[in-house]
Amino acid sequence: MGSSCSSGSPTNSQNEGYYKKAEKSNKSQSPRSSQDEDKKRSGETATPGKATADKKKTKSQGNNPPPEPTSPPPAMASVQRHDTDISFQGSTASSDVLGNGVLEKRTTSPASQSVIRPSVTSPPPAMQSGGINPRCHDYKWFPADVKSLLLGQLDCQIEPPNDNVIKLYISANRTDSIVERNMLTEKAYSKLRLHCAQKGYELDIIDLHWGLRQERWLNASNHMQLCIDELNRCQQNPCIFVVFLNESYGAAIPPTIQPDDFEQITNSPNSLPIISEWYRLDSNAIPAVYSLRSDSGMTDEQYTDLLLALYRCMASSQREQYLCSVLEHEVRRAILHDNFDSDSVLWVNRIFSSVPHDVASGGSYTDAAARVCSEFSQFSRERLSLLRNKVQHRLVMNRNSTLRYQVPWKGGTICPEKIKEHSDYLEKLCGQFQESVQKIVEKIIRNKQEAEEEKPYKRISDKLYRDLTNNYVFCKSLGRHYVHQADVIDSVKTYMRNASVMAPLFLHAPLGTNKESILAEVAKNCSAWLPSSVCVFRFVKVSQACSLGDVLRSICEQIAVIYNLPKGWQQKESIKEVIMRLPSEQTLVILVSGIDEVGSHDDAQGVDWIPDALPPNVKVVMTVERDSSCMAELQNRFTDSSCFYAIPSITPEIAERMFSDLLKANCRTLADNQRDFIYSAVRKCSVPLHVELLANLACDWTSDVSADEIAHSLGTTVDEQIERIFEKLQNIFKGKIFSQVMGYLLCARHGISYSELLDTLSCDDGFLDDLSETFHLKPVRRCPPIVWIQLFHKLRPYLYSYKPNGTVLINFEQTSIITKANAKFMADSHGQQFHKSLFDFYDGRWANEKKKPHSSAAEGIDIQHDRHVISQPVKYSSAVYNCRKLTEQTLHAAHLPLAERKENFLFNLDWLSAKVEGTDVYQVIHDVLMALTEEADDADLQLLLEVLRLSSAALEDDPSQLYVQFSIRLKIIMSESADQYPCMKKLYDKCTDDSLDYFEPSSYECLQRPRTTDNDVDVTNTIITKLFRLKGSNTYMVSLLYERGEIKVWDIHTQTVTRTLRGLNCPLDTRFIDDLKGVVLCNRELKIYNLDTGEMEVKIKGIMNQRMPYYELHDQNHVVALSRNRMYIYIIQISTGDTLSTFKAGEDRFLNSLAVSSNGHFLVCGDETQKPTPLLVWDLNNRKLIYDLRINNHEFQTKMLTVSSDGHFVVCACKEVISDDAINNVVIYDLTTGTVFKKWKPGFNTTAIAISSEDDWVTTALDNGNILLWDLTTGTCKFILKGHKSSIDKLIASTDGSRLLSFDSTGFDRSLRLWDLNTGACLASLTFDDPFSNCQLSPDGSTVVLALPGWENILTLHLRKATPSVSAHAYGDEERAGNVYTVDE
């Protein structure tokens, strides 16, 4: 047996039963003389007579391994990414041929580390063939809510997406604690907001009692109802309720009085005409009530007179119902209820000491009304005392909820400038208040994190989950807008049910026709029309980043989950191509609303992405505005008129019913004359949006509104009606108040948050000057929250909330309103000024106690004030980016010269890195596209755009790869033509700075370069199928080339081949006896090869099991192998190929795994016959079974099994036998005692395991992408290694246990990561454009070696700052270097 220059087709003449010889001293039973009866159960399908024929077929099968007469079970045919019972092997795992003709590949574990290996470690069959192989998901691993979202089911209850907003609601009497709240605004609030921001949360501080100058304004603004409504909104979020409940009760005139009560009051002997003067019967309310006039003509004197008149005319019960202060109403809703949480309440209780008796008894310093009427003073004191007692009783068990202070009486006011005790009190208050609120915030965040951790693993990305829930909530909310149009719905239903129609359907109509609500109704009925269908629906305006490009990426990601596609598939195949090959057994419906809502800077332009033709099981419905440019493009492309459906206008009769329904939903009606006016306007324009605008307007009408006022407020078109609404609001909010708020709302990219708007308005001196007549702006010059809250409630019917990255943004819902508002408020230079103000805000120009000057007309001088706005760093903390700054600032920088923007943002590496990490790469692409609209021929911008697009899939999953992606893709172009790209050259130089450490590849062709087409590599051709490292060398590795029948020995540092063996019969796997010799599995036969000399030294008799050809080394002289029928274990002499010993588990017991400790002392096998499945442990030295390990009601997942190198421990995943979707656990047995050493329940399915008993650790990969590093001594989790976005199935450790390589061998995740196990840090990561065929780590952990599809050569990666260990010794005989052998078998 030697080598020759010619190569022939190897033959297999050994067809006798496997391992018939057994050592006589071993008294184990020998195999049955005939094994045919066991073949079905053992998984064996090939017969001896077929062996030669099988090999002859191999030559004509191209890429396919030799087939078997029958296919293996379906479970082996493909990898299901969401199945816990992924087919894994221990350190003994070998190779198999799948029924679909795709080679199953595994990586051999290092000798000193036993690593779990999956039974399918090559990329999935679809990826090996270069295409995508969609297949329907069974969804059994998804939580119920995620499953419903993925399938588009609207008949379920889904919680709205969580936001990272905490509300701090301040309750106080308007005239009480003014100084304290001013001081908190100056000293505490900004610090608390920054503290929350550093935790990734936004703190909204709402004090609707602060800054109010006039008592009568409370009436004009319906202050009580505003406070109650806003408190209710706050309580939908985590809310901290702070109450200043001191010596002042307050007073409030009731906004409404029930008719029966009003009649009793006006019939009272004490009744005064002022009551009837200010209250009018409102018959429009359902039920009718007497309402307080809402005009602002009431003086402070009239306010007091009316309050006292009501008090004197009311009975005691009526006083309690109608004259309770706003403060008491707030306390009732926040504290005096059943679901009260004392941990989220803070009572600031300041008591004056040494109050003069006459002052205390009269209460004249507490309430304005008390100074006029002693009767009302008594009522206030009683209500206040009762309220304080109730609050104290509720908080008695939580002392931390009360801040008590005794302050010396000095005229009933707090004067820190003159009285030291008052100054000390305020300092103490600010410090304790800040500390107390911070503690509450910490608990809220902790509770939210714990609640999130307790939720089932979603198994989809957070970004996709947020997008699905945002669209779900918006879709459900559209029901209030829907007007039933049977013809439209029936037409869509007919389209969906007609399999012969293979084109998209476009629903078109003018603006304001509620196309969105029609599409929502389609989504609602989809499952009824097409049972078992999947409905993917998106509304562009509420999807992530509100762009069509993000909508399409989100749809692609959802399709990838539904059909089990690998990550990044859409970069290789378009959605049009994949749709044509989706499984026919399930119907896919795609609904997209607003495809025309594309900005000029959107990265998805045009309509080319829309499929021209569809398979019968795919339906696509989209809405588009009739007069848009997008509609014109569609008509040019789709010439068949049946692709378009014009949504008809609703009839006046339907519009009138719609109007009545909207009024009824708001518990309102109209007088007959008012209804006539409305119906006249409806008949002139029956567009649904016009009807909604009219209904919102009419809800504010009382029954006594004059005809002139009604006529003036009505418009005959949508645009006219919007203009009337704007005029009305401008009359309510004088000067610049309304226009400035509108401007900031309109120019923000995706909307603006509550806190951002208040901060921006607080820096707008024109806006503040118009507030000065109504609000106190001294000593704190800042916009009072009540201003925005009042305007928000007026605009609320036209707004919607959008939640990107947990921040709640407010924006206009209707495109018609946005268009009209832009024309009115953003014209001329106004828009530019709004952008500049927002740029200054996000730039932090007036933050960090910087005082902004403003001119005081009254004083004739410039005055500087701190506006107390939050600071705007790029990062609030090491783990929290300022996402809002990163998202918005580049948009508002348009007033800067392009050269300045390029320097500060587009080619600023720190900014780019932060923006990619804090937002996503597509927002950076958006910024580049925006710059290209100004300089379309800018070569630097064009190159930057191309590199970002090429790297987008990698950067979306792992933003930290910005440096390595840029350095690899730009290396060649920068070395050849850097002078053409000066800005990119500077960016490249910073990316390649010597201080940075990341993977340096041996070839820069491993990623596609810009300015080129796809690399000239056939990614469908897997050349190198497996890589193996040699225990004693950091320089050499071995590769198997299955199709070519070759083995190669590589110098990994020079990427050169030092030995080549050809003519092997389908090499599948190998185990190394030493660095020069290996036991190679060749088409189910074991052969011993000398890689140095190219000789086959021994052929071991018999053939292996088809599905489970497992074998391992016992020592350098013996092989341990599983028999063909899987009932026996054989120990075989390497030198002769003869069987020395035979182990049998028992009668009719079939083994399904085989693992041997690296020292060769212990053998562990899984038994699939016994229930529950046991682990069988043999002492190989003494040739005997020592343990039969079982756990009641648990089954070992024996294909996920590994043994420590010293044989001390065996680790295996096990699952409780309660249901198919039970989560597995990890069990460690001590083989010295046969007892359970540790059992871990990480809460997620384990997908891979590695163990090092020498270094006392076990690593387990989970299906959420995390890797846990366990301390083997203490059993605690030492590190959680986070970085992978999906489950990985490969863990390879360095021989010293200090480094770990993790990746997914199936190709679903194309990234690999190298970890430092001493610190838990990720040393480097890299995501490839295509799946790699195989991957291996050098024994010292310094070099990663990869096999890429279509590559003849290996690719090596090493850390830039590390020097790989290079062996000074040649491989084998130095004179044989580079030899190529043709093996003679």
Side-chain angles (χ1 to χ4, degrees):
M1 293 178 285
S3 59
S4 65
C5 295
S6 62
S7 63
S9 177
T11 61
N12 179 6
S13 59
Q14 302 292 335
N15 292 323
E16 66 271 20
Y18 187 45
Y19 303 139
K20 290 186 177 179
K21 294 184 179 180
E23 186 176 350
K24 294 182 179 179
S25 59
N26 191 319
K27 297 183 179 180
S28 301
Q29 286 183 295
S30 61
R32 300 177 183 178
S33 58
S34 174
Q35 297 172 339
D36 293 340
E37 60 191 84
D38 297 321
K39 288 177 183 176
K40 185 175 181 180
R41 292 186 64 186
S42 67
E44 180 62 57
T45 58
T47 60
K50 283 278 189 178
T52 304
D54 287 345
K55 283 186 290 183
K56 290 180 180 179
K57 292 180 182 179
T58 305
K59 298 177 67 175
S60 63
Q61 283 177 335
N63 293 348
N64 295 334
E68 297 293 341
T70 59
S71 299
M76 297 296 293
S78 63
V79 178
Q80 295 293 329
R81 297 300 301 144
H82 297 284
D83 188 347
T84 51
D85 197 14
I86 295 174
S87 185
F88 285 97
Q89 310 302 331
S91 60
T92 61
S94 184
S95 304
D96 199 359
V97 176
L98 302 184
N100 52 14
V102 178
L103 176 63
E104 177 187 356
K105 297 170 285 187
R106 301 183 187 85
T107 302
T108 304
S109 69
S112 62
Q113 308 291 340
S114 298
V115 183
I116 293 301
R117 287 183 290 284
S119 62
V120 182
T121 62
S122 63
M127 300 307 298
Q128 280 200 320
S129 62
I132 305 301
N133 183 27
R135 54 190 182 277
C136 297
H137 222 299
D138 60 8
Y139 304 103
K140 71 177 182 178
W141 295 112
F142 289 100
D145 62 333
V146 176
K147 178 182 176 182
S148 298
L149 289 171
L150 287 172
L151 298 179
Q153 298 171 341
L154 289 170
D155 55 350
C156 57
Q157 294 297 321
I158 305 292
E159 293 183 6
N162 287 332
D163 53 60
N164 296 336
V165 177
I166 299 173
K167 302 287 188 178
L168 179 65
Y169 189 93
I170 309 294
S171 176
N173 182 26
R174 180 184 71 87
T175 58
D176 185 34
S177 63
I178 296 176
V179 177
E180 288 92 333
R181 288 180 283 145
N182 282 340
M183 186 62 68
L184 289 174
T185 303
E186 292 183 283
K187 301 292 185 182
Y189 289 164
S190 295
K191 294 178 181 178
L192 286 170
R193 290 175 61 197
L194 182 60
H195 174 78
C196 288
Q198 290 168 346
K199 305 290 184 181
Y201 285 77
E202 183 176 58
L203 181 67
D204 289 347
I205 300 173
I206 299 104
D207 186 348
L208 304 184
H209 310 272
W210 179 75
L212 300 179
R213 182 188 294 274
Q214 299 166 329
E215 197 85 41
R216 60 186 173 87
W217 189 88
L218 305 181
N219 166 40
S221 65
N222 198 358
H223 182 248
M224 177 181 291
Q225 193 60 48
L226 280 178
C227 292
I228 293 172
D229 289 347
E230 189 60 25
L231 178 56
N232 290 336
R233 288 182 67 245
C234 288
Q235 290 176 327
Q236 296 173 11
N237 291 83
C239 180
I240 304 171
F241 183 77
V242 178
V243 56
F244 287 82
L245 188 56
N246 302 319
E247 291 95 346
S248 179
Y249 176 72
I253 295 175
T256 60
I257 300 176
Q258 296 298 319
D260 292 344
D261 291 326
F262 189 82
E263 184 177 353
Q264 293 179 18
I265 292 170
T266 53
N267 290 334
S268 169
N270 299 323
S271 179
L272 297 174
I274 193 173
I275 298 176
S276 298
E277 178 184 345
W278 283 99
Y279 282 92
R280 293 285 187 269
L281 177 65
D282 182 11
S283 301
N284 287 357
I286 303 176
V289 294
Y290 279 86
S291 297
L292 184 66
R293 284 165 44 191
S294 59
D295 60 70
S296 57
M298 183 184 292
T299 65
D300 288 345
E301 182 179 358
Q302 288 173 324
Y303 183 93
T304 302
D305 291 345
L306 177 59
L307 177 65
L308 296 179
L310 289 170
Y311 173 79
R312 289 166 177 161
C313 296
M314 286 182 175
S316 176
S317 61
Q318 291 173 330
R319 292 171 182 170
E320 292 182 9
Q321 178 180 355
Y322 292 111
L323 297 184
C324 284
S325 66
V326 178
L327 174 66
E328 181 170 351
H329 280 291
E330 291 172 333
V331 170
R332 285 178 181 176
R333 282 164 173 77
I335 301 178
L336 307 180
H337 61 85
D338 294 337
N339 297 324
F340 160 71
D341 178 14
S342 64
D343 291 334
S344 60
V345 171
L346 191 62
W347 176 17
V348 180
N349 181 209
R350 181 255 297 142
I351 301 174
F352 282 124
S353 61
S354 305
V355 180
H357 177 72
D358 59 329
V359 174
S361 60
S364 60
Y365 74 95
T366 58
D367 292 301
R371 291 192 289 270
V372 179
C373 175
S374 59
E375 302 169 63
F376 190 82
S377 175
Q378 179 65 26
F379 170 77
S380 296
R381 287 200 305 273
E382 291 175 355
R383 298 300 305 171
L384 177 63
S385 176
L386 180 62
L387 187 61
R388 286 164 60 97
N389 290 337
K390 289 181 178 179
V391 171
Q392 186 171 355
H393 176 72
R394 281 300 183 98
L395 300 180
V396 68
M397 300 302 294
N398 189 346
R399 295 184 178 181
N400 295 327
S401 294
T402 305
L403 300 179
R404 297 186 186 278
Y405 304 96
Q406 277 204 346
V407 182
W409 167 267
K410 297 293 181 180
T413 61
I414 300 295
C415 187
E417 298 85 0
K418 298 180 180 179
I419 304 170
K420 185 178 184 304
E421 291 90 338
H422 289 188
S423 176
D424 293 343
Y425 152 64
L426 292 175
E427 286 294 328
K428 185 177 180 181
L429 168 64
C430 289
Q432 291 183 340
F433 181 90
Q434 183 176 336
E435 180 183 356
S436 299
V437 172
Q438 283 183 359
K439 289 180 179 178
I440 299 174
V441 166
E442 295 291 341
K443 182 176 181 182
I444 289 173
I445 295 175
R446 187 167 57 252
N447 290 342
K448 288 193 70 172
Q449 290 172 343
E450 290 174 356
E452 197 64 30
E453 290 172 358
E454 290 175 359
K455 292 181 180 179
Y457 174 42
K458 294 187 283 287
R459 297 182 180 275
I460 59 176
S461 69
D462 290 338
K463 183 177 180 180
L464 177 59
Y465 183 78
R466 283 196 304 270
D467 204 22
L468 291 175
T469 49
N470 273 324
N471 278 273
Y472 168 87
V473 172
F474 185 71
C475 186
K476 295 278 279 191
S477 70
L478 289 171
R480 73 182 191 275
H481 299 292
Y482 178 64
V483 180
H484 183 63
Q485 293 175 270
D487 293 344
V488 180
I489 299 302
D490 289 343
S491 297
V492 177
K493 178 181 177 181
T494 301
Y495 161 77
M496 287 193 175
R497 287 183 166 181
N498 190 347
S500 63
V501 178
M502 299 183 184
L505 178 64
F506 303 101
L507 307 178
H508 60 94
L511 285 174
T513 50
N514 286 349
K515 299 181 292 294
E516 293 168 339
S517 63
I518 292 174
L519 203 72
E521 186 69 13
V522 172
K524 175 183 174 183
N525 290 284
C526 189
S527 59
W529 297 342
L530 300 170
S532 302
S533 63
V534 173
C535 182
V536 176
F537 58 85
R538 292 294 187 279
F539 301 88
V540 171
K541 68 174 59 175
V542 297
S543 292
Q544 191 76 13
C546 302
S547 77
L548 182 58
D550 283 290
V551 168
L552 297 181
R553 283 185 287 273
S554 178
I555 290 174
C556 289
E557 187 176 354
Q558 185 174 352
I559 291 175
V561 176
I562 292 170
Y563 294 99
N564 225 20
L565 298 173
K567 284 179 174 290
W569 61 268
Q570 64 272 21
Q571 287 199 330
K572 292 298 175 183
E573 296 191 30
S574 69
I575 185 173
K576 295 190 293 186
E577 295 169 325
V578 172
I579 280 177
M580 296 304 296
R581 295 191 286 102
L582 294 177
S584 59
E585 64 268 21
Q586 188 172 40
T587 299
L588 173 67
V589 178
I590 300 176
L591 310 175
V592 183
S593 174
I595 60 173
D596 54 299
E597 299 176 17
V598 181
S600 58
H601 311 138
D602 201 318
D603 59 318
Q605 297 287 340
V607 296
D608 291 341
W609 57 272
I610 302 175
D612 299 278
L614 303 171
N617 64 309
V618 177
K619 299 295 179 182
V620 176
V621 182
M622 301 180 182
T623 67
V624 59
E625 198 244 311
R626 183 171 298 164
D627 300 323
S628 65
S629 59
C630 180
M631 180 66 179
E633 289 184 60
L634 290 171
Q635 289 174 325
N636 288 334
R637 182 173 172 195
F638 296 89
T639 57
D640 187 351
S641 60
S642 63
C643 293
F644 300 90
Y645 183 89
I647 300 175
S649 300
I650 61 175
T651 63
E653 292 75 20
I654 294 177
E656 290 174 5
R657 287 202 303 271
M658 175 185 174
F659 177 84
S660 297
D661 291 342
L662 290 172
L663 279 188
K664 185 177 180 181
N666 287 278
C667 298
R668 303 292 294 176
T669 186
L670 291 180
D672 291 341
N673 65 322
Q674 296 173 338
R675 193 178 299 275
D676 291 340
F677 275 105
I678 287 289
Y679 283 176
S680 175
V682 166
R683 283 190 288 271
K684 293 177 181 177
C685 178
S686 58
V687 174
L689 177 58
H690 187 229
V691 178
E692 286 187 45
L693 295 174
L694 293 174
N696 292 328
L697 179 69
C699 284
D700 291 336
W701 292 347
T702 57
S703 52
D704 62 344
V705 174
S706 67
D708 289 341
E709 184 179 346
I710 292 175
H712 178 73
S713 64
L714 298 182
T716 57
T717 66
V718 171
D719 284 349
E720 282 187 19
Q721 192 58 53
I722 294 172
E723 182 64 32
R724 297 288 191 276
I725 292 172
F726 289 163
E727 290 176 1
K728 177 183 177 182
L729 292 174
Q730 281 183 309
N731 288 331
I732 297 174
F733 301 93
K734 304 294 185 181
K736 294 183 178 181
I737 296 176
F738 178 65
S739 61
Q740 296 300 97
V741 170
M742 290 293 291
Y744 293 126
L745 279 173
L746 291 166
C747 73
R749 178 171 294 187
H750 308 309
I752 195 166
S753 73
Y754 165 86
S755 294
E756 288 173 336
L757 184 58
L758 282 188
D759 279 351
T760 308
L761 292 173
S762 297
C763 296
D764 189 325
D765 287 307
F767 173 85
L768 293 178
D769 288 342
D770 287 339
L771 293 180
S772 58
E773 291 185 7
T774 311
F775 299 93
H776 287 293
L777 299 179
K778 294 180 181 181
V780 181
R781 187 169 175 81
R782 185 168 170 83
C783 175
I786 186 65
V787 178
W788 163 239
I789 296 302
Q790 185 189 15
L791 182 51
F792 169 78
H793 281 265
K794 295 291 185 183
L795 290 172
R796 192 172 183 178
Y798 319 113
L799 301 173
Y800 76 95
S801 295
Y802 166 60
K803 300 180 180 180
N805 302 316
T807 305
V808 180
L809 304 181
I810 301 164
N811 207 343
F812 288 101
E813 182 175 344
Q814 296 290 347
T815 304
S816 299
I817 296 178
I818 295 174
T819 303
K820 188 68 177 177
N822 276 321
K824 185 176 182 66
F825 301 106
M826 302 291 286
D828 302 325
S829 61
H830 293 94
Q832 184 176 352
Q833 186 58 47
F834 289 130
H835 282 294
K836 188 176 184 304
S837 296
L838 283 173
F839 178 85
D840 289 344
F841 166 69
Y842 290 115
D843 201 41
R845 182 178 181 184
W846 306 117
N848 301 318
E849 300 182 359
K850 294 178 184 176
K851 295 184 177 181
K852 185 177 188 294
H854 78 282
S855 298
S856 173
E859 301 179 29
I861 57 174
D862 285 345
I863 304 175
Q864 293 185 337
H865 283 283
D866 183 356
R867 308 307 171 91
H868 309 291
V869 300
I870 191 172
S871 60
Q872 296 290 334
V874 171
K875 292 182 74 172
Y876 283 115
S877 62
S878 60
V880 178
Y881 284 89
N882 187 347
C883 298
R884 293 294 298 145
K885 175 188 177 79
L886 294 168
T887 300
E888 294 284 338
Q889 191 168 5
T890 48
L891 172 68
H892 305 303
H895 66 282
L896 299 176
L898 180 59
E900 188 174 343
R901 278 181 279 151
K902 289 169 67 174
E903 180 181 357
N904 294 339
F905 302 110
L906 298 176
F907 294 96
N908 182 322
L909 185 60
D910 292 335
W911 174 267
L912 288 178
S913 177
K915 184 151 188 172
V916 171
E917 296 232 21
T919 59
D920 62 50
V921 63
Y922 299 106
Q923 293 212 26
V924 181
I925 290 175
H926 182 279
D927 293 341
V928 179
L929 288 169
M930 184 168 60
L932 280 168
T933 59
E934 300 179 42
E935 293 288 344
D937 298 327
D938 190 304
D940 279 304
L941 290 172
Q942 291 174 346
L943 181 59
L944 176 60
L945 178 63
E946 189 172 356
V947 175
L948 287 168
R949 282 176 166 165
L950 289 173
S951 308
S952 59
L955 296 179
E956 187 175 26
D957 274 352
D958 185 5
S960 67
Q961 290 188 30
L962 179 70
Y963 301 95
V964 64
Q965 291 283 332
F966 272 42
S967 67
I968 294 175
R969 296 186 193 274
L970 291 171
K971 173 69 174 181
I972 296 176
I973 197 170
M974 287 294 110
S975 62
E976 294 175 350
S977 52
D979 56 329
Q980 300 178 26
Y981 311 99
C983 295
M984 286 298 288
K985 180 60 168 64
K986 292 180 181 178
L987 189 64
Y988 173 77
D989 289 342
K990 291 182 179 179
C991 285
T992 55
D993 187 271
D994 292 339
S995 62
L996 299 174
D997 199 14
Y998 46 78
F999 278 134
E1000 187 82 27
S1002 58
S1003 170
Y1004 293 93
E1005 299 288 349
C1006 60
L1007 298 179
Q1008 184 180 341
R1009 294 181 287 121
R1011 298 292 188 263
T1012 64
T1013 57
D1014 288 342
N1015 297 329
D1016 297 329
V1017 175
D1018 182 7
V1019 296
T1020 68
N1021 183 20
T1022 300
I1023 298 175
I1024 301 174
T1025 50
K1026 277 197 172 182
L1027 290 167
F1028 300 88
R1029 70 188 188 189
L1030 302 175
K1031 179 179 179 182
S1033 175
N1034 292 315
T1035 302
Y1036 300 101
M1037 284 194 185
V1038 175
S1039 67
L1040 298 184
L1041 288 74
Y1042 170 80
E1043 294 179 13
R1044 295 183 180 181
E1046 294 181 356
I1047 297 179
K1048 291 185 178 182
V1049 181
W1050 295 86
D1051 183 328
I1052 64 174
H1053 301 302
T1054 62
Q1055 298 86 49
T1056 57
V1057 180
T1058 186
R1059 301 288 191 281
T1060 301
L1061 279 69
R1062 293 176 175 169
L1064 282 74
N1065 183 14
C1066 302
L1068 295 173
D1069 208 348
T1070 185
R1071 299 292 180 268
F1072 290 101
I1073 301 169
D1074 54 38
D1075 287 351
L1076 303 180
K1077 293 183 180 181
V1079 182
V1080 183
L1081 175 65
C1082 294
N1083 195 21
R1084 301 172 64 189
E1085 290 185 308
L1086 296 180
K1087 301 175 182 180
I1088 315 300
Y1089 289 96
N1090 187 316
L1091 304 185
D1092 184 29
T1093 64
E1095 296 178 318
M1096 187 190 79
E1097 297 184 346
V1098 178
K1099 179 188 292 184
I1100 295 176
K1101 301 178 180 67
I1103 61 175
M1104 304 286 284
N1105 183 275
Q1106 174 192 343
R1107 291 178 52 225
M1108 302 182 188
Y1110 303 154
Y1111 70 104
E1112 277 294 338
L1113 292 180
H1114 171 28
D1115 52 35
Q1116 289 191 331
N1117 298 315
H1118 301 91
V1119 174
V1120 180
L1122 181 64
S1123 68
R1124 179 179 177 182
N1125 65 5
R1126 295 197 293 122
M1127 296 176 64
Y1128 300 90
I1129 298 293
Y1130 294 101
I1131 298 181
I1132 304 147
Q1133 183 76 37
I1134 288 177
S1135 60
T1136 64
D1138 294 331
T1139 299
L1140 302 180
S1141 300
T1142 304
F1143 300 156
K1144 185 174 182 181
E1147 198 65 30
D1148 294 331
R1149 296 181 71 173
F1150 293 89
L1151 305 178
N1152 60 4
S1153 58
L1154 183 150
V1156 176
S1157 60
S1158 296
N1159 62 9
H1161 293 174
F1162 294 98
L1163 164 68
V1164 183
C1165 295
D1167 176 4
E1168 70 180 27
T1169 311
Q1170 300 292 311
K1171 299 297 179 183
T1173 56
L1175 294 180
L1176 306 179
V1177 183
W1178 279 275
D1179 182 337
L1180 290 179
N1181 293 328
N1182 296 311
R1183 308 291 199 265
K1184 66 178 182 179
L1185 179 69
I1186 56 175
Y1187 301 120
D1188 186 333
L1189 306 176
R1190 303 169 189 259
I1191 301 178
N1192 290 335
N1193 299 319
H1194 285 71
E1195 286 194 348
F1196 288 103
Q1197 295 175 300
T1198 53
K1199 295 176 183 179
M1200 194 162 9
L1201 165 70
T1202 188
V1203 185
S1204 63
S1205 56
D1206 60 1
H1208 193 166
F1209 299 105
V1210 60
V1211 187
C1212 189
C1214 70
K1215 184 170 69 172
E1216 190 172 0
V1217 188
I1218 53 175
S1219 65
D1220 291 339
D1221 57 354
I1223 295 176
N1224 64 13
N1225 303 314
V1226 178
V1227 177
I1228 300 181
Y1229 278 96
D1230 186 337
L1231 294 185
T1232 61
T1233 62
T1235 58
V1236 174
F1237 179 68
K1238 301 289 181 185
K1239 184 177 181 180
W1240 293 317
K1241 298 181 178 181
F1244 298 92
N1245 282 311
T1246 298
T1247 58
I1249 302 172
I1251 182 173
S1252 173
S1253 56
E1254 295 93 337
D1255 297 287
D1256 289 331
W1257 58 251
V1258 173
T1259 56
T1260 58
L1262 306 180
D1263 62 357
N1264 66 349
N1266 291 344
I1267 302 171
L1268 307 183
L1269 179 65
W1270 303 90
D1271 188 311
L1272 200 53
T1273 303
T1274 63
T1276 58
C1277 182
K1278 187 177 181 181
F1279 296 119
I1280 300 178
L1281 312 180
K1282 295 183 178 182
H1284 287 286
K1285 300 303 181 183
S1286 60
S1287 63
I1288 53 104
D1289 59 16
K1290 277 290 196 175
L1291 300 173
I1292 303 177
S1294 59
T1295 54
D1296 64 358
S1298 63
R1299 290 186 176 180
L1300 183 75
L1301 177 67
S1302 58
F1303 60 95
D1304 175 28
S1305 67
T1306 68
F1308 275 75
D1309 186 337
R1310 302 192 302 269
S1311 65
L1312 55 84
R1313 289 179 170 268
L1314 185 64
W1315 307 89
D1316 184 339
L1317 295 186
N1318 295 319
T1319 63
C1322 180
L1323 298 174
S1325 63
L1326 183 60
T1327 301
F1328 291 87
D1329 297 333
D1330 298 293
F1332 42 86
S1333 304
N1334 207 252
C1335 187
Q1336 188 55 265
L1337 181 67
S1338 63
D1340 63 354
S1342 65
T1343 306
V1344 178
V1345 182
L1346 297 103
L1348 300 181
W1351 279 45
E1352 298 277 352
N1353 227 355
I1354 59 172
L1355 174 74
T1356 62
L1357 306 173
H1358 66 270
L1359 295 176
R1360 299 176 75 232
K1361 300 172 83 172
T1363 303
S1365 303
V1366 180
S1367 174
H1369 300 289
Y1371 183 81
D1373 188 341
E1374 189 172 358
E1375 294 183 357
R1376 298 191 180 103
N1379 279 4
V1380 178
Y1381 304 109
T1382 300
V1383 178
D1384 181 7
E1385 299 190 357

